[in-house]
Amino acid sequence: MDQPSGRSFMQVLCEKYSPENFPYRRGPGMGVHVPATPQGSPMKDRLNLPSVLVLNSCGITCAGDETEIAAFCAHVSELDLSDNKLEDWHESLKLLHITDNNLQDWTEIRKLGAMFPSLDTLVLANNHLHAIEEPDDSLARLFPNLRSISLHKSGLQSWEDIDKLNSFPKLEEVRLLGIPLLQPYTTEERRKLVIARLPSVSKLNGSVVTEDEREDSERFFIRYHVQVPQEEVPCRYHELITKYGKLEPLAEVDLRPQSSAKVEVHFNDQVEEMSIRLDQTVAELKKQLKTLVQLPTSSMLLYHFDHEAPFGPEEMKHSSRAVHSFGIRDGDKIYVESKTK
């Protein structure tokens, strides 16, 4: 059944936790926790509120009366508002799940910091936040205790927004998968560039950042930006240059096996330069040479001569043996002889 539209947080709270729907039972381990000192609301005794509120998929579009929220929820430590219809939030809490809503502007997110100064974990996944538009010193005051934030599948598009996360004084854990900013990069580049920009973060996308990985990422960051024009180099680059010095790009070494080689094929008095595949067998190479030397494959004898080796030609026996196993390289020679000769 579809949830009705236009419902407030307080309306849903009162419906769900009324005695009729959620009766309180006394005794160890029974019912829900009600603080011993209510915050002064005459309605407080008529609701049985636990310290963890789960109000996901309730069609909530707004908060409701601020005074009532303060009175009813002073003891609440966790709140799940996932999959509601919030577009803004105008209103004592440690963990807040507010995923799958329509929050887009930072002005709405900053209200959460102002209302919940003890916030430890903020999950904003699957919202449409475009940017973190807040001065660094103001961010530190807004979220003084924030330890973990999830911006999974948000709309962040700028590295400056990632740098802003450094302003949260206690931030240790970040989730940043699926944001537009990182789409053009490889998996390796995404992780290393983010780690290098967030020196205090010890856990990224659920994986612990080890000391070795951090050093590797920071060195990667320097090399990645070494040829970027000075006016475009991020501030973090200069900080890391001070730490490690200026590093030259690593030499690119292709360790993949060579797939082909240009060789000289010698037969009688003829010499023909051609490219041969190294992943084929000796039998397949003979078929390739058949037209050139005008011999049946059963009559061919092949010899490989390494132009850099001190010894003579090596017969290419065994039809099923791979050509690359003979160590053939560009410039080598293949001698073809007839068994009847």
Side-chain angles (χ1 to χ4, degrees), residues 249-299:
L250 293 174
E252 293 187 7
V253 179
D254 189 351
L255 299 178
R256 293 173 298 179
Q258 190 174 344
S259 60
S260 64
K262 289 184 178 179
V263 299
E264 287 183 358
V265 178
H266 293 250
F267 177 65
N268 293 335
D269 295 327
Q270 301 177 42
V271 179
E272 187 80 24
E273 188 177 85
M274 64 185 302
S275 177
I276 63 171
R277 284 185 18 246
L278 299 179
D279 60 348
Q280 63 184 333
T281 64
V282 172
E284 290 170 330
L285 176 59
K286 287 181 177 180
K287 290 180 182 179
Q288 183 182 356
L289 298 174
K290 181 178 178 181
T291 303
L292 175 66
V293 300
Q294 297 296 309
L295 284 176
T297 57
S298 58
S299 299

Side-chain angles (χ1 to χ4, degrees), residues 2 26 50 120-121 132 141 153 180 200 214 230 249 268 290:
D2 292 337
R26 299 189 180 278
D120 171 275
T121 301
I132 301 176
R141 293 193 301 270
K153 290 189 177 180
S200 299
R214 175 161 299 285
Q230 282 298 308
N268 293 335
K290 181 178 178 181

